[in-house]
Amino acid sequence: MANIIEFSGSVLVAADDEREGMWSVDGVLTFVRPTAAPDEVLDGWVLPGLVDAHCHIGLGAGGAVDEATTLAQAQADLDAGTLLIRDAGSPSDTRWVQQRMDLPRLIRAGRHIARSRRYLRGLGHEVEPGQLVETVRKEARAGDGWVKLVGDWIDRGVGDLAASFPANLVKDAIAAAHDEGARVTAHCFAEDTIDHMLDAGIDCIEHATGLLPRHIPRLVEQSVPIVPTLVNIATFPDIANQAAPKFPRYADHMMRLWERRKERVLEAFEAGVAIYAGTDAGSVIKHGRIAEEMMELHDAGLPPSAVLNAAAWGARAWLGAEAISEGASADVVICRSDPRLEVGTVLELKHIVLRGNIVR
Ligand SMILES: [Zn+2]
């Protein structure tokens, strides 16, 4: 006997494509009514499983964490309705997570690649410029199609944010990753880092706090999305306060980046830059906060359909993942009300279904 779930409410295949009548039969979605009666009937507004486009599984404040902690992280994301994670760098080998049918799907990026002594200790491969290209090539082979660069960090000698690597080497490194069939994304806090990354042919910008009007047409032209990680950017004032006595210039810079966080995201959205929802859970941010990130994007001025696109339909298409279609895996979340009208309904999902199994 097949295991059948009937979705009796509205199915949001896209923002402007609402259907009625969908079932999960042994974990596979169909719009064709099965002959047998359903085992369960779930009512509400159905969305594709949420996507956290910047998350770190197997990473804690001090670096790699044990399997029990990794499991708890993935379960916290699952509980929030995150059914697909793009891991933005992890020092742990998390391939075992991908074998667990009860955990979110995971697209790994290998380990962060940072400049020596210019990143949080224990997280990344810390390399000198001469080792960048070969390290990127190695991580491109180790991950699932993504490589994560730490594009800038505080340079204590300069007392401010500064690019991690010379622009010409970043260009060679990105070319090497592309040659290996991987896309590259980069942590970018500062303004100039975004110019370097765009010059070098980057595929995505994380945080993008230094986004200026000059970058916007280039992001559109080169089809480079941004993942603003606003729940993480909210920690900038604390970072600035701690750094202020020793590094006043850096502290001031971080505060200015924080102050413009919402305007910047709205300007990018209005100009047509693709925006995806990412929490940056892992080192300082707790797992399971995707709905809060969605509310932050909404608060910045994105309409509900754009917020939902950033965490569901659009994010899945961008990552090459299935969403809601005939024959797709039954990875869906069910809202209590229409999220296109009231996006805050994602804060309290009614049901979560992963691979045709009702999580709740
Ligand atoms: Zn991150």
Side-chain angles (χ1 to χ4, degrees), residues 54-56 59 88-89 112 119 123 148 187 206-207 229 232 279-283:
H54 184 138
C55 185
H56 303 275
L59 174 69
H112 306 63
Y119 196 47
L123 269 61
K148 170 72 179 295
H187 159 116
E206 308 299 315
H207 318 299
T229 66
N232 178 15
T279 63
D280 207 0
S283 55

Side-chain angles (χ1 to χ4, degrees), residues 12-350:
L12 304 177
V13 176
D16 56 358
D17 184 359
E18 178 176 352
R19 297 191 209 172
E20 277 175 22
M22 185 173 77
W23 292 263
S24 164
V25 178
D26 286 337
V28 175
L29 296 176
T30 180
F31 294 98
V32 181
R33 180 184 289 277
T35 48
D39 300 282
E40 299 275 355
V41 179
L42 304 181
D43 189 26
W45 279 260
V46 184
L47 281 173
L50 302 178
V51 179
D52 190 336
H54 184 138
C55 185
H56 303 275
I57 296 286
L59 174 69
V65 294
D66 62 18
E67 280 200 14
T69 309
T70 303
L71 179 64
Q73 292 177 338
Q75 285 170 336
D77 290 321
L78 175 67
D79 262 353
T82 295
L83 305 187
L84 175 64
I85 292 167
R86 184 185 61 143
D87 193 285
S90 178
S92 303
D93 182 346
T94 52
R95 278 174 280 200
W96 63 271
V97 173
Q98 297 172 318
Q99 308 305 317
R100 289 274 301 248
M101 295 300 106
D102 59 338
L103 296 178
R105 292 173 197 276
L106 177 62
I107 298 170
R108 296 158 39 257
R111 194 167 181 181
H112 306 63
I113 301 168
R115 180 72 177 267
S116 314
R117 296 174 301 283
R118 292 272 308 279
Y119 196 47
L120 299 167
R121 197 172 301 173
L123 269 61
H125 285 300
E126 297 194 6
V127 302
E128 283 301 292
Q131 302 162 284
L132 179 64
V133 174
E134 67 177 281
T135 310
V136 164
R137 205 174 267 282
K138 193 173 133 243
E139 288 307 299
R141 289 176 187 164
D144 300 327
W146 282 94
V147 174
K148 170 72 179 295
L149 295 180
V150 177
D152 56 24
W153 199 251
I154 184 172
D155 181 331
R156 290 174 180 81
V158 176
D160 198 356
L161 290 168
S164 305
F165 299 102
N168 62 321
L169 288 176
V170 173
K171 196 170 191 170
D172 292 347
I174 292 175
H178 288 169
D179 185 46
E180 296 289 341
R183 292 189 268 185
V184 183
T185 192
H187 159 116
C188 298
F189 281 173
E191 294 83 352
D192 294 350
T193 316
I194 300 180
D195 297 283
H196 294 176
M197 291 296 163
L198 288 169
D199 290 346
I202 196 82
D203 301 293
C204 181
I205 303 278
E206 308 299 315
H207 318 299
T209 46
L211 191 75
L212 294 174
R214 71 171 187 255
H215 300 126
I216 289 179
R218 300 193 66 193
L219 290 165
V220 174
E221 169 89 1
Q222 295 177 221
S223 301
V224 176
I226 61 171
V227 182
T229 66
L230 292 171
V231 295
N232 178 15
I233 304 314
T235 67
F236 275 25
D238 284 343
I239 297 172
N241 279 334
Q242 281 178 26
K246 272 175 97 174
F247 303 108
R249 212 172 122 202
Y250 166 75
D252 177 60
H253 196 173
M254 293 296 276
M255 284 309 293
R256 281 184 284 116
L257 295 175
W258 175 77
E259 281 159 7
R260 284 201 70 246
R261 67 201 181 284
K262 290 183 191 174
E263 293 158 65
R264 190 166 49 232
V265 169
L266 186 58
E267 281 165 16
F269 168 71
E270 286 177 342
V273 175
I275 296 174
Y276 299 117
T279 63
D280 207 0
S283 55
V284 288
I285 303 297
K286 282 195 165 59
H287 284 263
R289 296 185 64 186
I290 190 65
E292 287 170 70
E293 180 65 21
M294 293 169 75
M295 296 312 289
E296 290 275 350
L297 291 171
H298 186 45
D299 193 43
L302 268 61
S305 61
V307 173
L308 296 168
N309 203 53
W313 308 298
R316 284 181 168 268
W318 169 60
L319 292 171
E322 293 179 323
I324 293 177
S325 62
E326 183 74 29
S329 175
D331 293 12
V332 297
V333 295
I334 302 176
C335 304
R336 293 167 199 274
S337 61
D338 188 339
R340 295 169 302 177
L341 303 177
E342 181 59 65
V343 74
T345 190
V346 298
L347 289 161
E348 282 189 56
L349 294 169
K350 191 173 181 192

